[in-house]
Every structure is written in structure tokens, then in C-alpha cells.
Amino acid sequence: GNRGRRPSRAIPDDVRDRVRALATGMYAGVNHTHLAELLAEREGIALPRSTLSDLLREASIRSPRPQRRRSKHRSRRERYPQEGMLLQVDASHHDWLEGRGPRLALLAVIDDATGKVPAARFHLTEDARGYMYLLRDLCRKVSVPQALYSDKHTIFWPTNGQTLQEQLAGRRSPTQFGRAMAELGVQLIAAHSPQAKGRVERLWGTLQDRLVSELRLAGITTLEHANLFLPAFLARFNRSFAVPAVEPGSAYRPRRKAAELDHILCFKHERVVGKDNVV
């Protein structure tokens, strides 16, 4: 009896045409899952991701994000049970502005228990100064974590040869960042492979897809505007991707005063004063 009738739940032709035009125009290069979210937030077009993919596939519009290749199986480490116990820290060098501005490095921390990104910052390069600013943002907005998990970059760990003073002392002198973490009471843990800090490595794949698209849609062309854009993006990102911790509550240490953070998150050098008062 319904032969020849249009299904009651069919998507109107004008909506189909508009979605396809947006997918190949303003939102070109956005993956289908992200596109479904943007259409609902910005265009008032609420479509399930599977329906959107079918609609675009009919028009031969494929999702730009390639299928992930199967890799060698690795047993994943269990998440830490409580938020603030361990944060993974890293940086990603990428053409975040797609040639509209300088090539930037994105520095970020991700909570191991929840997958939440509490702080991130664009910097011209990956250096100790950028990480100092990143930790200052984290400690001011959230608090001081118990531990940081990093790679073996020379920013975090001394890797050059031992000096005579270190040999006599029987220990390595920490880097500027390592010294700051010790003063904050944050344990710094070294990862022995990229897979060991897989949570933050997988974060870069997601951000290089989603964040790049949203920076383009917002017309961001400078480092300053990119950093101003980040807080609102991270708030939406965390709502979509963060998961509850196994144990409720927070393991973050008590907040430090701004003056204390400024005194700790800085560069300190030992100098000798001569008899003529010359440093």
C-alpha cells in the first residue's frame, strides 16, 4: 500500500543538496563524524553520523581521514585510576594553519585517567620556555598534578656527557624543566618508546584532523589568535572525548599562588661573584 510513496523519515531533497554543498564547500576536508557535529552546532542540521556518511557516499564524497592500518598488537597499560595522578606531555610539529601563518608546535598535556586535555598552547617551536608556559597555564587553571609522563627529549632529561661536577656529586644535574618539576613536587617519568605514551600520540592524530579544520573555519592566521581560540575548542573537545575516571575525586595537589609559580617556572642559573663584585 505504500508503494510509490515517499518514506515519512526521508531527508528532504533541499537538505540533501545543502549538506552535500557544505561538505564540498565550507566544510571540505572535515571527516564525517566531525562534520555531523559541526552541522548540528552551526547549521541546525541534525543527522546521525551513519546517515550522513550514507548520504555523502551516494554522492561519492568520501571521508578525508584514511582508515587506520592494523598494527602489531600491544597490550595497553591500564589507565591511572584518578584524575590528576598522571598527565602525559608532548608536542606536535604540524602545519596547523595550513600555510596561512607560521608553522607552529602544539604543546599539550592529557590526563591519563580521563583523556581530558586540561591545557594546551601553540608555540613557535618545542622548547623549555613553551613547556614552562604550558605548566603555568595548567597550574593556574586546574592545579599541580602528581606526575608527568614525557619522552626522553633533552628539555626533560639530561642526555649529554657528565660534567666533572656531576661525576664528583654522583648524580646528574636536572634540566631547567626537571628542576622546576622537582620544586613543584611533580614526579617526572620517562617513556622508553612512543607506544608507551600512546594516549598523547593518538591525541595528535585527532587534533591534526579536527583542530586544523576548525582553525581554518575560524580564519585563524596568527599564533596569538590560535592560542585565543584553543580554550573554547578544548572545552568542546573534552565534552566529546573525556571519559569518567575509575575513582571519583581529584588527585591534583593543592593550588600554588601565582607568585610561587612565577618563582618556580622560570630559568635559574648559578653564577660566581668575584672579589671585585663582578658576576
Side-chain angles (χ1 to χ4, degrees), residues 1-13:
N2 288 328
R3 181 179 297 174
R5 294 182 182 180
R6 186 179 180 85
S8 59
R9 296 185 180 181
I11 302 172
D13 291 338

Side-chain angles (χ1 to χ4, degrees), residues 150 152 220 234:
S150 73
K152 294 184 177 181
I220 304 296
L234 290 179

Side-chain angles (χ1 to χ4, degrees), residues 34 78 82 96 114 127 131 209 223 238 240 251 255 268:
H34 192 194
E78 291 292 329
Q82 197 172 42
W96 295 99
T114 64
D127 59 16
Y131 282 111
D209 178 32
L223 169 66
N238 290 332
S240 298
R255 286 178 178 268
K268 299 180 180 181

Side-chain angles (χ1 to χ4, degrees), residues 5-272:
R5 294 182 182 180
R6 186 179 180 85
S8 59
R9 296 185 180 181
I11 302 172
D13 291 338
D14 59 334
V15 175
R16 287 173 172 267
D17 293 340
R18 187 181 176 206
V19 167
R20 288 166 178 167
L22 289 170
T24 55
M26 179 187 298
Y27 299 113
V30 178
N31 75 70
H32 291 178
T33 302
H34 192 194
L35 178 60
E37 297 173 11
L38 293 176
L39 290 175
E41 293 174 5
R42 301 185 178 198
E43 309 297 336
I45 304 174
L47 294 174
R49 195 272 310 163
S50 58
T51 302
L52 176 64
S53 294
D54 291 341
L55 189 154
L56 297 178
R57 196 177 297 113
E58 291 172 2
S60 300
I61 303 172
R62 300 287 180 180
S63 181
R65 190 167 188 184
Q67 293 292 325
R68 185 165 42 181
R69 295 181 180 178
R70 290 187 177 182
S71 57
K72 182 181 177 181
H73 172 72
R74 291 178 180 269
S75 178
R76 287 192 180 182
R77 172 181 54 79
E78 291 292 329
R79 291 177 182 265
Y80 271 58
Q82 197 172 42
E83 184 176 4
M85 293 184 71
L86 178 73
L87 271 64
Q88 297 186 19
V89 61
D90 199 12
S92 173
H93 299 266
H94 186 68
D95 188 11
W96 295 99
L97 301 181
E98 299 178 305
R100 298 185 307 276
R103 191 176 179 89
L104 304 173
L106 179 61
L107 285 61
V109 287
I110 182 170
D111 185 75
D112 190 79
T114 64
K116 184 184 296 182
V117 182
R121 168 181 284 268
F122 283 109
H123 209 60
L124 289 175
T125 187
E126 181 184 10
D127 59 16
R129 184 180 300 274
Y131 282 111
M132 293 283 194
Y133 281 125
L134 176 67
L135 264 293
R136 183 184 281 112
D137 291 344
L138 172 67
C139 294
R140 285 180 174 176
K141 294 175 182 177
V142 187
S143 195
V144 182
Q146 289 191 12
L148 280 182
Y149 199 45
S150 73
D151 56 23
K152 294 184 177 181
H153 198 289
T154 54
I155 293 171
F156 307 111
W157 304 95
T159 56
N160 52 354
Q162 284 187 314
T163 64
L164 178 60
Q165 288 82 359
E166 290 175 334
Q167 292 176 5
L168 293 174
R171 60 182 179 84
R172 300 300 305 270
S173 298
T175 64
Q176 289 285 349
F177 187 84
R179 185 268 314 155
M181 293 303 98
E183 291 185 20
L184 277 176
V186 177
Q187 181 185 7
L188 196 57
I189 304 172
H192 296 288
S193 68
Q195 291 80 10
K197 54 184 182 66
R199 214 169 305 287
V200 72
E201 295 291 347
R202 290 189 294 274
L203 172 68
W204 299 135
T206 305
L207 292 184
Q208 288 172 10
D209 178 32
R210 286 176 170 253
L211 181 54
V212 166
S213 299
E214 296 212 16
L215 289 170
R216 180 177 68 250
L217 292 171
I220 304 296
T221 59
T222 65
L223 169 66
E224 294 75 15
H225 288 159
N227 277 323
L228 290 174
F229 179 81
L230 271 178
F233 171 84
L234 290 179
R236 289 185 282 107
F237 181 88
N238 290 332
R239 284 196 297 269
S240 298
F241 289 95
V243 299
V246 174
E247 295 181 7
S250 173
Y252 281 98
R253 300 184 187 280
R255 286 178 178 268
R256 295 291 192 97
K257 295 180 180 178
E260 286 185 273
L261 294 176
D262 291 340
H263 182 69
I264 294 172
L265 295 168
C266 60
F267 292 83
K268 299 180 180 181
H269 304 277
E270 289 187 0
R271 292 293 182 263
V272 176

